[in-house]
Amino acid sequence: MSRHNPGKNENKKNASSGTRTPKPSVLLMGFLLILVGIFGVLYNPSNSTAATVPWEVSETGTLSFPQREEPVFTTREIEDVYAPESSDTLKLLSFESKGDNIQALLRIPANSFSSPGIVLLPGAGVSKEAEQGLAAELSKMGYSTLTLDQRNLGGINMGRDLELFKAGLEPLEYAMVYDALKAADVLAAQPEINKERLAILGESNGGRFAVLACALDPSLKGVIGISTAGYGTEETDPALIDDPEAYRFYRSIDPDTYLPILPPAKFVQIHSVNDNVISHDLALRTFALAKEPKAMYNVTEATHGYTTSMRPYLEKELSFLLN
């Protein structure tokens, strides 16, 4: 766009013809008004994608997100120092999710073509690197894995998230669920992966996010939760709640809320009867709420998280889900 500034000769011509010459201040004001109008069109919240509601929670406490855009990611192959004896291909992957870059490790079994894929969510405080022992075990079974560094390393602050929820801002836990959904999109986009054969697996707190993600993404064939359970909010009578908004928020982050909408995806739990972090009784309560298809396996070690005794059950259920 060019801008025309009348010269002295034109001013004289305009004056002789009886046409009034606009004053510079009037021209400047008009120009500024045009700029303000353009700015208003471009940045009006109703026209801004940033103003699109990033999440919703139903009256019954079910979380949902708008349709996701195509995944944006970068990958580069790195040395596998976590399982050096393996011949897997290991890639460092970064993908965009809600304006942040999420780091992940993509492990692909050697000589695999169109491999089934698993989104792997570690427990709270566990990094993607520390989860490579389980990822390597899954690779031996023939499955590729995408293991995330979850926000805050999977740690949560329910009180803070409730404050954000009440303020109309996005709780961190919602962003963590969305990261898992985006991870499934990213995994499906990898050329070595069969996008028709995807599942999600989580340990401890990662298992909770895994249940929510599986319920919200019908492309996932099933979810396996290791040493995990819901919070039991369904046992509370809503009529007795003093703070309905708090109840709705807690329902929205409780895996138990999503069990009725999980099928046809299969729900699998593997838990120790002597788990010293999340009790076996809590796991049994969650399993009782789950709908078919479902399966539960118990081990006896006094531990929390994956153990080698769980391997046969893990291999059996993954074969059912993805082969």
Side-chain angles (χ1 to χ4, degrees):
M1 178 177 71
S2 62
R3 185 169 58 186
H4 179 64
N5 291 317
K8 292 182 179 180
N9 292 336
E10 289 196 24
N11 286 339
K12 291 179 180 179
K13 182 178 178 180
N14 288 338
S16 64
S17 63
T19 304
R20 187 174 181 179
T21 304
K23 295 181 180 180
S25 60
V26 175
L27 287 173
L28 178 60
M29 181 62 69
F31 181 68
L32 290 174
L33 287 173
I34 291 172
L35 285 180
V36 170
I38 293 172
F39 182 88
V41 171
L42 292 177
Y43 294 97
N44 188 318
S46 63
N47 296 326
S48 173
T49 55
T52 302
V53 177
W55 50 270
E56 290 184 0
V57 176
S58 71
E59 289 303 314
T60 57
T62 303
L63 175 66
S64 63
F65 297 101
Q67 183 175 357
R68 302 188 297 277
E69 297 180 351
E70 290 295 314
V72 177
F73 58 88
T74 61
T75 60
R76 64 180 177 88
E77 190 169 336
I78 62 173
E79 180 184 0
D80 186 4
V81 298
Y82 314 106
E85 74 287 350
S86 77
S87 53
D88 298 340
T89 298
L90 190 66
K91 297 181 181 181
L92 179 62
L93 189 147
S94 176
F95 65 90
E96 187 277 332
S97 179
K98 289 190 174 291
D100 289 327
N101 285 320
I102 306 300
Q103 302 295 309
L105 286 174
L106 175 64
R107 179 175 292 276
I108 304 168
N111 303 317
S112 65
F113 176 74
S114 194
S115 164
I118 300 168
V119 175
L120 183 54
L121 302 181
V126 181
S127 68
K128 62 185 183 300
E129 291 83 6
E131 194 73 356
Q132 288 307 297
L134 177 54
E137 283 295 300
L138 294 169
S139 178
K140 293 174 184 177
M141 302 177 198
Y143 304 105
S144 295
T145 53
L146 183 63
T147 310
L148 310 193
D149 261 346
Q150 297 183 94
R151 297 170 192 253
N152 198 35
L153 277 186
I156 60 173
N157 183 333
M158 287 190 182
R160 176 56 180 159
D161 274 353
L162 175 58
E163 292 175 2
L164 292 171
F165 177 79
K166 287 185 172 182
L169 302 174
E170 185 164 43
L172 180 64
E173 292 175 73
Y174 291 2
M176 293 163 77
V177 174
Y178 192 81
D179 294 343
L181 294 169
K182 290 294 288 186
D185 298 338
V186 170
L187 186 58
Q190 304 309 307
E192 304 92 342
I193 304 301
N194 184 339
K195 65 180 182 181
E196 303 299 326
R197 297 194 291 168
L198 300 178
I200 187 166
L201 188 158
E203 290 194 75
S204 191
N205 217 36
R208 290 167 171 151
F209 295 122
V211 172
L212 269 66
C214 190
L216 299 179
D217 189 344
S219 73
L220 296 170
K221 302 299 183 184
V223 54
I224 298 178
I226 295 175
S227 302
T228 195
Y231 297 122
T233 55
E234 84 292 337
E235 295 181 351
T236 303
D237 184 353
L240 302 178
I241 299 297
D242 293 331
D243 189 343
E245 280 300 280
Y247 177 72
R248 191 160 69 100
F249 167 71
Y250 289 129
R251 288 285 292 160
S252 74
I253 59 172
D254 188 346
D256 293 346
T257 304
Y258 298 82
L259 295 174
I261 63 173
L262 193 57
K266 188 173 185 178
F267 175 66
V268 179
Q269 273 184 293
I270 307 177
H271 211 95
S272 172
V273 296
N274 296 304
D275 192 306
N276 50 17
V277 177
I278 296 177
S279 76
H280 188 249
D281 287 342
L282 293 178
L284 289 174
R285 182 191 62 194
T286 291
F287 185 73
L289 293 170
K291 309 299 182 184
E292 296 288 352
K294 64 180 182 178
M296 185 171 188
Y297 302 93
N298 302 299
V299 297
T300 58
E301 293 94 332
T303 189
H304 180 71
Y306 178 75
T307 67
T308 55
S309 64
M310 297 178 180
R311 192 182 194 280
Y313 311 126
L314 191 56
E315 190 166 15
K316 172 185 175 182
E317 288 300 329
L318 284 172
S319 179
F320 175 84
L321 293 174
L322 298 177
N323 294 319

